[in-house]
Amino acid sequence: MLDNAQEYYSLIANVPTLTMDDLVMTLKCNVLAEKQLIRLMKWWPKVCRVHRTMERSGLRLKEVIRFEIAPKDRLANNSGITVPVNNADDAQETKVHRLESILYFTPAMLLDLPLPETTFPPALQKAIGQKTLENSVYSDWFAPLPFDIWTSFISQHSCLIEGNPKDINMAVLAVIGKYFDSLEGQQAKRRFVELLPTNNPCIPYDCGDNESDSSKYMTDVPKELYLPSSDLSAFAGVGVFHKVSDQLKVSDAFLTAIGVVSQPVLMHVAQPS
């Protein structure tokens, strides 16, 4: 039956065979809706498995693909904060993206955090599926987002430069701290710390009872803070000392590496006789 159908289309009906040039030209002349892009991304590995020679034209295909996502369906600048749709006009606005500008797909542990513009919008990546993006036919299209590149990006983000917003600041520091602990060798850890904005007020601390509002969320430069495990009772009345917030789930080793102090050091000045 299949042979008969093929004979009919090719010999009797004289239907031309769809070529890669046809596909490229069609995509070049059209902007895909989000659902169309998702279907295309899932279809490409399947068709390449049947027609292996098509895989060689992959990058040519990627260069012409444009797509749009309505604001209500994506995250603002991949920041982790949903864009509010204020009126009907806003809901109708869309932004055209070029697939060639996307270089990376994101590991699951980073998907809910701020991301650079060279990554997939998180909702789109989840819809396509990481397993699909890891297919070998996309090896020249995308790569997993390297942690160092993400760290360089996040080090310029307000969540670390200013320590806000609180929830993202805490989540980002927890991921960074976990990655630091996984590194082997002091040299690798020192190089990683050099990527971090350790001179900015990025670390949250617990306000003491003598503060006007002990519930207020505050951040400071690492070198001005003390480890959560530090015993500061002996220094009561001597000065104001702040410990890193207990809500921040990172190791003392990480905090020490970025400059957090273990105990205050008081300078004793000899009195003249």
Side-chain angles (χ1 to χ4, degrees), residues 168-233:
I168 295 181
N169 170 255
M170 290 280 198
V172 165
L173 287 171
V175 169
I176 289 176
K178 185 175 181 180
Y179 181 80
F180 171 88
D181 293 337
S182 72
L183 294 174
E184 296 183 1
Q186 293 303 312
Q187 185 176 10
K189 291 184 176 182
R190 282 195 300 269
R191 287 179 177 175
F192 179 66
V193 169
E194 290 175 358
L195 298 175
L196 304 177
T198 54
N199 292 322
N200 290 89
C202 56
I203 304 299
Y205 64 83
D206 293 327
C207 296
D209 296 336
N210 60 329
E211 297 289 334
S212 59
D213 184 0
S214 59
S215 64
K216 186 176 181 181
Y217 176 72
M218 303 291 289
T219 59
D220 206 343
V221 178
K223 65 183 179 181
E224 299 296 332
L225 300 174
Y226 299 88
L227 296 177
S229 57
S230 299
D231 181 5
L232 303 179
S233 58

Side-chain angles (χ1 to χ4, degrees), residues 9-61:
Y9 280 107
S10 60
L11 299 179
I12 301 175
N14 196 29
V15 176
T17 302
L18 179 68
T19 67
M20 194 66 195
D21 289 339
D22 296 323
L23 179 59
V24 169
M25 182 59 64
T26 300
L27 291 172
K28 188 175 183 179
C29 298
N30 293 275
V31 177
L32 301 181
E34 182 178 358
K35 290 183 178 179
Q36 291 176 314
L37 175 66
I38 294 169
R39 290 176 61 187
L40 175 63
M41 296 295 294
K42 292 183 175 181
W43 169 80
W44 183 246
K46 296 176 183 178
V47 73
C48 286
R49 189 162 59 245
V50 178
H51 304 284
R52 300 300 301 180
T53 57
M54 293 183 66
E55 188 175 339
R56 295 198 294 266
S57 301
L59 290 180
R60 182 182 167 206
L61 190 68

